[in-house]
């Protein structure tokens, strides 16, 4: 069980190190006055620190190594 959790953490950590965020487009209403509606596409971004990926990667390696020693 611990080995599979460690492998999952390693994979997630590597993904977080490679991709440090993503962007998406959201449609927002600017004016909504009765029958007149004006909207615009706004680009939003979600970013995370590469340290989070490194920490998960190291934690996964530690769990895998510790499960092999038992």
């Amino acid at each position: 069980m611990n080995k599979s959790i460690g492998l999952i953490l390693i994979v997630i950590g590597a993904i977080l190190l490679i991709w440090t965020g993503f962007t998406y487009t959201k449609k927002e209403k600017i004016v909504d006055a009765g029958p007149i509606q004006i909207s615009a596409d706004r680009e939003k971004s979600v970013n995370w620190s590469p340290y989070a990926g490194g920490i998960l990667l190291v934690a996964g390696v530690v769990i895998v190594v510790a499960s092999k020693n038992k």
Side-chain angles (χ1 to χ4, degrees):
M1 179 71 179
N2 285 341
K3 187 175 180 181
S4 61
I5 291 173
L7 291 174
I8 291 170
L9 288 176
I10 290 171
V11 170
I12 291 172
I15 290 171
L16 290 178
L17 279 174
I18 294 169
W19 291 288
T20 57
F22 63 92
T23 59
Y24 64 95
T25 304
K26 182 178 180 183
K27 188 169 284 225
E28 293 182 357
K29 286 185 183 179
I30 296 175
V31 175
D32 188 8
I36 299 173
Q37 294 181 0
I38 300 174
S39 61
D41 291 337
R42 303 285 175 149
E43 194 169 280
K44 305 279 185 172
S45 63
V46 176
N47 297 316
W48 51 80
S49 174
Y51 295 122
I55 290 169
L56 287 177
L57 187 67
V58 170
V61 169
V62 167
I63 290 172
V64 169
V65 169
S67 68
K68 284 185 178 180
N69 289 339
K70 288 186 178 182

